[in-house]
Amino acid sequence: MSKNTSPSVQKEINAFMRGLKKRNPGQKEFHAAVLEVVSSLIPYVIEHPKYRDAQILERLSEPDRTVSFRVTWEDDAGNIRVNRAWRVQFNNSIGPYKGGLRFHPTVTESVLKFLGFEQVLKNSLTGLPMGGAKGGANFNPKGKSDREVMRFCQSLMIELHRHVGEDTDVPAGDIGVGAREISYLFGQYKRLENRFVGILTGKGLSFGGSLVRTEATGYGCVYFCQDILDQIGDSLEGKTCVVSGSGNVAIYTVEKATSLGATVVGMSDSSGFIHDPDGIDPEKLAYLKDLKEVKRGRISEYVEHYPEATFHADKRPWRIPCDVAFPCATQNEISLSDAETLIKNGVQVVCEGANMPTELDAMNLLLQSKVLFGPAKAANAGGVAVSGLEQSQNALRLSWSREEVDERLNGIMRSIHTKCVEYGQEPGSDYINYVNGANIAGFIKVADAMLAYGVV
Ligand code: NDP
Ligand code: 2IT
């Protein structure tokens, strides 16, 4: 909570959260995501009573629907396995539902509700006609064979196909769901429906995928960071960066940051982090891409190839001094004490590639310390933005060039930055509160559509 929040506004935020927690008991990730957003929006709706009178925040924080289902499949040893899957269709006021699928043992309805809620505002910020959704399963792809993953995806799609459609709901990837999983899911959809349409994004290039979708979240996150630095007359050139994670978002964040003259000295996975003081140059990144994307190996193997680097088991990388931190792994990976360490070491920008990687108290400390903070719904919107461009290309039955998609991505990130500045500039100061900016700018378009629909 901002130190500037008045007691009466704080009272209203507390009352809102009491109701939300009562309606959604135990869903702590969902509570945290909503608290962050309503802390920006309650002051705004008090000044704009049309939203308050129409109970827009109450409506916005209740998903349109949640589908929950069993996924039964057979492993390579012939054992019958059971997982639970969900699709949370959060809000389709400004376009068909859109958002990723996550396969990870930590997936719960609460996690998917937080992600779906964030997705509504993120998708609005892109300026493209996309509603918000999220789905996934508590399935752990780690250690599974390709054929096991295929059988799981096929079984999941037997239920999911009823709920998706190119004008209804268009899922994509997220943690544990990449090119391999999207291919299995799409292949099964096609068999079930006998239709070749863009019901998923992140597809392979030979069957309707868009160039730059693989790179889009990481590239977009770096473009957004460049825009933040540009705003204060600075740039990424010569900056020291730390990137958590070593999956899709992390890898392409490192690639783009390095190409813009930054030096990335740390990366991680769920087993620990590597510190390479010489920087992860393009050759080392190529090794990491092969290790993580093809061999599905562990980041600790990096130090066997590059002995100048060190591996730190079961630790987060935030103790490495850096100018820019890019959390690109998962939620709640920057705690209050991590934020204190980053600040002590002089961090200038924290730019979120992952969704809700910074805990609320850590985020508030960073904001109070005037660290430039690029929140997830703005900074990582490049992935879903290029998904939106993939939908457009599918509808047109055309493929745009790499340059064209990359240019559009860069333009979308710049326009998100401009909107954040418009709504996030703190009165009487040069400091931009990108959290408020992104929440308010994302909210207005969705809220206006909801108002226009009447009582729905
Ligand atoms: P990947 O599955 O490709 O990579 C995830 C990375 O994060 C891996 O290095 C993984 O380590 C690490 N990780 C996952 N869970 C944990 C955990 N509980 N603790 C520590 N490390 C963990 O996923 P993505 O790169 O696609 O997604 C990363 C983040 O970016 C997520 O928050 C996602 O929601 C967000 N995002 C993704 C977009 C996309 O287009 N893919 C778009 C926008 C946001 P390990 O391999 O050891 O599990
Ligand atoms: O969190 C996200 O924005 C994603 N995982 C991407 C969603 C999408 O539909 O491309």
Side-chain angles (χ1 to χ4, degrees):
M1 221 107 344
S2 158
K3 273 192 175 152
N4 306 325
T5 308
S6 74
S8 66
V9 171
Q10 189 57 56
K11 215 169 137 198
E12 196 153 331
I13 294 170
N14 293 346
F16 185 93
M17 289 308 301
R18 262 198 310 279
L20 185 105
K21 286 180 182 170
K22 205 166 159 197
R23 292 190 297 278
N24 303 278
Q27 299 189 337
K28 60 182 193 324
E29 294 84 3
F30 181 51
H31 301 166
V34 174
L35 176 57
E36 188 239 89
V37 168
V38 299
S39 300
S40 300
L41 290 181
I42 286 181
Y44 185 79
V45 301
I46 290 172
E47 285 172 22
H48 299 82
K50 62 180 176 180
Y51 300 124
R52 201 183 188 199
D53 296 345
Q55 308 266 339
I56 296 291
L57 289 180
E58 286 76 5
R59 290 200 250 163
L60 197 62
S61 54
E62 188 67 35
D64 290 349
R65 71 186 64 75
T66 301
V67 185
S68 158
F69 53 99
R70 185 185 70 237
V71 181
T72 314
W73 57 284
E74 195 173 347
D75 70 20
D76 288 344
N79 301 308
I80 307 294
R81 309 283 286 260
V82 180
N83 286 95
R84 185 174 293 173
W86 296 262
R87 185 71 179 165
V88 183
Q89 296 182 329
F90 222 104
N91 189 298
N92 67 353
S93 295
I94 62 166
Y97 300 109
K98 181 84 196 87
L101 293 171
R102 177 178 290 192
F103 293 170
H104 196 272
T106 58
V107 166
T108 59
E109 190 175 339
S110 167
V111 167
L112 298 177
K113 278 170 75 175
F114 114 63
L115 289 162
F117 178 72
E118 284 280 294
Q119 198 83 43
V120 175
L121 300 177
K122 182 195 306 191
N123 293 3
S124 165
L125 279 172
T126 67
L128 300 174
M130 300 183 290
K134 200 82 185 190
N138 62 354
F139 170 76
N140 188 358
K142 232 174 262 165
K144 304 284 190 303
S145 70
D146 287 351
R147 303 195 75 75
E148 288 176 325
V149 171
M150 179 186 77
R151 286 194 292 274
F152 177 79
C153 289
Q154 291 178 339
S155 181
L156 181 132
M157 188 49 90
I158 284 175
E159 175 63 32
L160 189 65
H161 84 106
R162 300 180 227 278
H163 310 289
V164 299
E166 70 277 27
D167 295 320
T168 314
D169 184 358
V170 182
D174 194 79
I175 292 177
V177 177
R180 173 181 64 170
E181 291 73 19
I182 294 291
S183 306
Y184 292 146
L185 290 163
F186 187 71
Q188 181 74 339
Y189 177 86
K190 219 163 48 55
R191 287 167 81 195
L192 290 164
E193 296 270 337
N194 192 23
R195 296 175 74 232
F196 193 110
V197 282
I199 56 95
L200 286 162
T201 59
K203 299 186 291 299
L205 295 178
S206 58
F207 52 93
S210 174
L211 286 161
V212 193
R213 176 61 189 90
T214 305
E215 299 88 341
T217 312
Y219 280 17
C221 184
V222 175
Y223 292 149
F224 194 77
C225 182
Q226 272 284 73
D227 292 333
I228 290 177
L229 286 165
D230 188 52
Q231 179 75 15
I232 56 161
D234 201 346
S235 82
L236 265 171
E237 173 97 48
K239 298 273 190 262
T240 299
C241 304
V242 170
V243 177
S244 66
S246 46
N248 172 267
V249 179
I251 282 174
Y252 293 97
T253 296
V254 175
E255 183 167 288
K256 184 54 76 176
T258 307
S259 80
L260 294 175
T263 304
V264 178
V265 294
M267 288 181 79
S268 67
D269 65 16
S270 59
S271 60
F273 75 87
I274 52 150
H275 181 198
D276 186 342
D278 299 341
I280 301 167
D281 63 23
E283 184 230 301
K284 294 173 178 175
L285 188 65
Y287 164 81
L288 264 177
K289 271 190 201 173
D290 181 62
L291 177 71
K292 298 303 283 190
E293 291 179 347
V294 182
K295 302 202 174 82
R296 299 180 193 274
R298 310 307 301 155
I299 200 146
S300 52
E301 294 168 48
Y302 181 94
V303 301
E304 291 160 24
H305 271 73
Y306 302 107
E308 63 275 25
T310 48
F311 175 66
H312 305 259
D314 302 322
K315 298 270 183 323
R316 294 170 177 169
W318 311 124
R319 63 186 62 196
I320 307 172
C322 62
D323 304 308
V324 183
F326 289 104
C328 295
T330 191
Q331 64 269 14
N332 298 329
E333 52 163 325
I334 297 185
S335 66
L336 184 61
S337 86
D338 293 326
E340 284 164 354
T341 306
L342 284 164
I343 292 166
K344 183 167 65 68
N345 289 333
V347 76
Q348 192 183 0
V349 184
V350 174
C351 198
E352 296 187 324
N355 285 306
M356 206 169 75
T358 312
E359 291 183 18
L360 263 182
D361 51 1
M363 184 189 85
N364 286 326
L365 178 68
L366 291 164
L367 294 176
Q368 279 153 24
S369 309
K370 304 294 180 211
V371 172
L372 293 166
F373 184 83
K377 65 175 71 63
N380 74 31
V384 76
V386 173
S387 279
L389 301 179
E390 182 172 327
Q391 289 179 273
S392 303
Q393 292 168 81
N394 291 166
L396 293 167
R397 297 176 188 271
L398 283 175
S399 299
W400 296 332
S401 68
R402 168 170 284 274
E403 291 68 31
E404 178 158 7
V405 179
D406 193 34
E407 220 163 89
R408 284 179 191 258
L409 167 63
N410 205 335
I412 290 171
M413 297 315 294
R414 201 165 317 123
S415 93
I416 296 175
H417 181 265
T418 305
K419 289 182 215 168
C420 291
V421 172
E422 183 182 346
Y423 292 99
Q425 180 99 49
E426 290 200 337
S429 137
D430 286 341
Y431 183 71
I432 315 282
N433 182 324
Y434 288 93
V435 175
N436 284 340
N439 285 335
I440 297 168
F443 169 75
I444 292 171
K445 186 173 165 192
V446 179
D448 285 346
M450 291 172 80
L451 278 184
Y453 296 138
V455 181
V456 290

